[in-house]
Amino acid sequence: VHHQNHITTVSLPASPARSYPIAIREGLLAEAASSIARTAGPGAVFLVTDTTVGRLYGRQLHSACARVVSRCALLDFPPGEGSKRLRVYNALTRRLLGLGAKRDSLIVALGGGVVGDLAGFVAATLLRGVALLQIPTTLLAQLDSSVGGKVGIDHALGKNMLGAFHQPCSVLIDPLVLRSLPVREFRNGLAELVKIALALDGALFRRIEQAAPRITRTAGPLLRELISKAVSLKAAVVMKDEFESGLRKTLNLGHTVGHALEAASGYRIRHGEAVSIGLAVEARIAVRMGLLEEPALERILAVLRALGLPRDVPSGINRRSFVRSLSLDKKFTGGGTAYALPAGIGRSAIGVPVPGSVLDEAMES
Ligand SMILES: NC(=O)c1ccc[n+]([C@@H]2O[C@H](COP(=O)([O-])OP(=O)(O)OC[C@H]3O[C@@H](n4cnc5c(N)ncnc54)[C@H](O)[C@@H]3O)[C@@H](O)[C@H]2O)c1
Ligand SMILES: [Zn+2]
């Protein structure tokens, strides 16, 4: 069982040619060079990473690739949300073009959600689009951001304001790399796991409740099970609604409040932490709107607590900048911000308008 690949295939009905495999197995990174070589063919390979992941895994992958592909270069940038910016996008694309990137080049995003979103956006736009292979190295990226094709960067006016849909040609997930992840970053990813379960699957939610104390960076089979389950749930949604015209909006649970908190904190709150607080606040909103029963709210708050995730809005968040960020949200339409809200454990409602007074109460409780 240990050496078996768990493979989920994403098939996109609009264009079957763009279907791609998501492989999950311990030890996959050590063998990634041969998959990269197969995917790249005669084209050049550009490994994009941040300096932390570059030191831990990038250099080794680069040497392995250099032996099996025609041309290979490693490009890195400083870690953190601050790199999801036009400035870093400019620097990366300048280097790639300088190194002779062509339409048949392959970009490999090796890192967390920041690397995946930024390198993915580069791949989506460079020369009108080049192939992208995702090797996610944080829990958040493994169970959420590397699957589904959303890529992008932040703008002074808000989170993920410049972006594209650009599906990868394959995703390689190696849970072993999570062993080097700081605990705070591991927890950060658990918030997206709770989101996926809460939005889509009551059974997965129960599994998380029951296993919470045992979900650690070294929890081999349990971790693989949870990542695989989350990935297949997300893949199923992406297959039905690639461009987020309906169903996929359910995965924005926790993100309306979460994104505004991230921006209003000047990105000092990590994305997953903001999503965790967002889930708690939005669950309180859902109770006030009559969508969610009180006991379900208690379960949501309890599972976040058991996983060591934050639930309360930190003091020091500026109200005005929070409200401004909220109104700039992509989910803001003429009529106001349309929330995705929990409507039970494993069920969600989308496009719900929330009165300001209800939001205020939920933020303060
Ligand atoms: N595209 C999507 O669908 C989607 C979904 C969810 C989140 N996101 C985005 O993902 C971003 C957050 O991603 P993240 O939390 O992975 O952040 P991140 O990429 O900044 O990674 C967190 C930190 O962990 C380090 N790191 C990464 N892998 C490591 C490893 N194996 N060992 C040790 N250190 C490691 C990184 O250097 C970084 O400092 C946000 O910008 C968010 O908007 C995108
Ligand atoms: Zn998210």
Side-chain angles (χ1 to χ4, degrees), residues 50-53 56-57 79-81 84 111-117 136-141 144-152 154 159-160 177-182 185 188-189 192 195 234 248 255 259 262 270-272:
D50 68 31
T51 49
T52 304
V53 180
L56 287 166
Y57 306 107
E81 185 74 26
K84 261 178 71 171
V114 166
V115 173
D117 281 12
T137 65
T138 62
L139 181 64
L140 181 144
D144 191 349
S145 64
S146 65
V147 174
K150 277 194 189 177
V151 294
D154 302 330
K159 176 97 183 138
N160 298 335
V177 303
L178 301 179
R179 297 188 176 209
S180 58
L181 198 63
E185 295 301 341
N188 193 48
E192 301 279 20
K195 171 202 77 177
K234 178 158 183 190
R248 190 169 178 175
H255 282 65
H259 278 166
E262 256 187 291
R270 307 278 307 112
H271 177 73

Side-chain angles (χ1 to χ4, degrees), residues 139-141 143-144 183-199 204-205 208 215 230 251-255 258 269-280 300 303-305 307-311:
L139 181 64
L140 181 144
L143 55 74
D144 191 349
V183 175
R184 183 176 177 193
E185 295 301 341
F186 183 78
R187 284 202 194 117
N188 193 48
L190 292 175
E192 301 279 20
L193 176 65
V194 173
K195 171 202 77 177
I196 290 173
L198 179 58
L204 177 61
F205 193 91
I208 301 167
I215 309 178
L251 291 175
N252 290 330
L253 224 60
H255 282 65
I269 306 181
R270 307 278 307 112
H271 177 73
E273 293 166 358
V275 168
S276 176
I277 299 166
L279 287 172
I300 295 166
V303 86
L304 294 174
R305 181 196 204 91
L307 295 170
L309 285 162
R311 304 173 302 174

Side-chain angles (χ1 to χ4, degrees), residues 68-261:
V68 291
V69 304
S70 61
R71 274 190 60 217
C72 179
L74 180 69
L75 290 79
D76 61 14
F77 53 80
E81 185 74 26
S83 283
K84 261 178 71 171
R85 281 291 167 135
L86 261 183
R87 184 176 36 79
V88 184
Y89 171 91
N90 279 337
L92 272 179
T93 47
R94 185 178 307 128
R95 280 199 64 198
L96 284 164
L97 293 170
L99 288 165
K102 298 280 180 308
R103 304 241 0 221
D104 70 350
S105 298
L106 171 69
I107 290 183
V108 177
L110 173 71
V114 166
V115 173
D117 281 12
L118 172 61
F121 188 54
V122 168
T125 48
L126 190 74
L127 305 169
R128 295 207 178 84
V130 302
L132 171 69
L133 189 150
Q134 294 267 18
I135 308 183
T137 65
T138 62
L139 181 64
L140 181 144
Q142 294 195 341
L143 55 74
D144 191 349
S145 64
S146 65
V147 174
K150 277 194 189 177
V151 294
I153 57 177
D154 302 330
H155 184 275
L157 286 178
K159 176 97 183 138
N160 298 335
M161 285 288 164
L162 302 171
F165 289 95
H166 189 65
Q167 299 291 343
C169 53
S170 125
V171 184
L172 304 178
I173 298 176
D174 183 350
L176 276 186
V177 303
L178 301 179
R179 297 188 176 209
S180 58
L181 198 63
V183 175
R184 183 176 177 193
E185 295 301 341
F186 183 78
R187 284 202 194 117
N188 193 48
L190 292 175
E192 301 279 20
L193 176 65
V194 173
K195 171 202 77 177
I196 290 173
L198 179 58
L200 300 169
D201 189 0
L204 177 61
F205 193 91
R206 272 191 299 284
R207 181 83 178 108
I208 301 167
E209 289 178 312
Q210 164 230 335
R214 288 177 287 119
I215 309 178
T216 63
R217 292 170 296 176
T218 52
L222 173 63
L223 206 49
R224 185 162 11 98
E225 173 204 326
L226 295 172
I227 296 169
S228 306
K229 188 71 205 173
V231 162
S232 28
L233 284 166
K234 178 158 183 190
V237 168
V238 171
M239 286 189 263
K240 287 193 196 125
D241 179 19
E242 183 182 2
F243 300 112
E244 198 171 307
S245 44
L247 179 68
R248 190 169 178 175
K249 293 191 169 111
T250 58
L251 291 175
N252 290 330
L253 224 60
H255 282 65
T256 308
V257 168
H259 278 166
L261 278 175

